[in-house]
Amino acid sequence: MASFFAGSLNTIAGGGSFLSLPALLQVIALQGSKVGSVSAQATNNVALWPGQLTSVYAYRNDLKNHSKRILPLSAASFVGGLAGAWLLVITPNKRFLDLLPWLLLFAAVMFSLSEPLGRWIAARNKSGVTRSDFWLIVGMAVVSFYVGYFGAGGGFLVMALFGFCGVTDIHEMNALKVVTAAVSIGIAVFLFVWNGRVVWSYCWQMAILAAIGGYVAARYSKRINQKRLRRIVAGIGYVTAAYFFWLAYGPK
């Protein structure tokens, strides 16, 4: 169920990992499996990645108008995503569990800032801010590093980067965002599979259910109040972060 709703959230508002990763870690604990937290994070990324590819296909017409930026931004996403995924692979399981509540909290804050971020981008769009492609590419590599390592809330970091560097057309922003996400997560997926970090018995179930959830959400997305949903997703993120803070730092 968590994977189904994670696919739905990723299609409508983002933040699916707030549901799927904690659920996967809980199932692993209940089953007494020896799967480590790093492998769980890798499995979660692989399971949700196909949804990024379908998003690229959905924006295929918009991407034709911005082809000049696709290659340099994709290259930056490739380098950053690869570095982040490599760091995850070499991170000890205990260290990742200690970092997890902080990563979840950071992602929840990004979701909370999504509405004022949208207003800020709209204001910059009216003021005619000059583009800064150099810092856009450098910033994309940094953001993609985070996406390759963890990912939740990465979409809002990308949107903030675009706004800061003067990319303010919403169609261009969304089109380039899905491409960079597909590249940075895609290279991470390749590295996770190459290093044998993916637990396929969980991954196939999650991928199929997330795909179904994404399809259903796409069919009914226009009926959903996205502003309210974003607030709910942020709330889920804060609750999830608090739970993992208690697990990591609470009484043993």
Side-chain angles (χ1 to χ4, degrees), residues 80-91 145 148-149 187-188 191-192 195:
L82 180 62
W86 175 79
L87 180 62
L88 178 64
V89 168
I90 65 172
T91 300
F145 178 88
Y149 188 83
I187 186 58
L191 188 64
F192 297 151
N195 282 272

Side-chain angles (χ1 to χ4, degrees), residues 81-152:
L82 180 62
W86 175 79
L87 180 62
L88 178 64
V89 168
I90 65 172
T91 300
N93 288 311
K94 179 62 169 59
R95 177 66 57 82
F96 182 77
L97 281 176
D98 290 340
L99 288 173
L100 184 56
W102 297 99
L103 292 168
L104 288 168
L105 179 61
F106 176 76
V109 171
M110 290 298 101
F111 273 84
S112 299
L113 294 176
S114 61
E115 290 184 54
L117 174 62
R119 293 192 294 268
W120 175 66
I121 289 172
R124 288 176 69 86
N125 193 20
K126 293 178 181 178
S127 62
V129 178
T130 303
R131 293 175 183 269
S132 177
D133 282 357
F134 172 78
W135 290 112
L136 177 62
I137 293 171
V138 172
M140 184 58 64
V142 175
V143 171
S144 296
F145 178 88
Y146 168 80
V147 172
Y149 188 83
F150 188 61

Side-chain angles (χ1 to χ4, degrees), residues 208-227:
I208 292 170
L209 290 167
I212 295 172
Y215 176 79
V216 172
R219 291 288 301 273
Y220 298 101
S221 61
K222 293 182 179 180
R223 304 181 185 180
I224 298 172
N225 186 318
Q226 293 201 15
K227 181 182 291 188

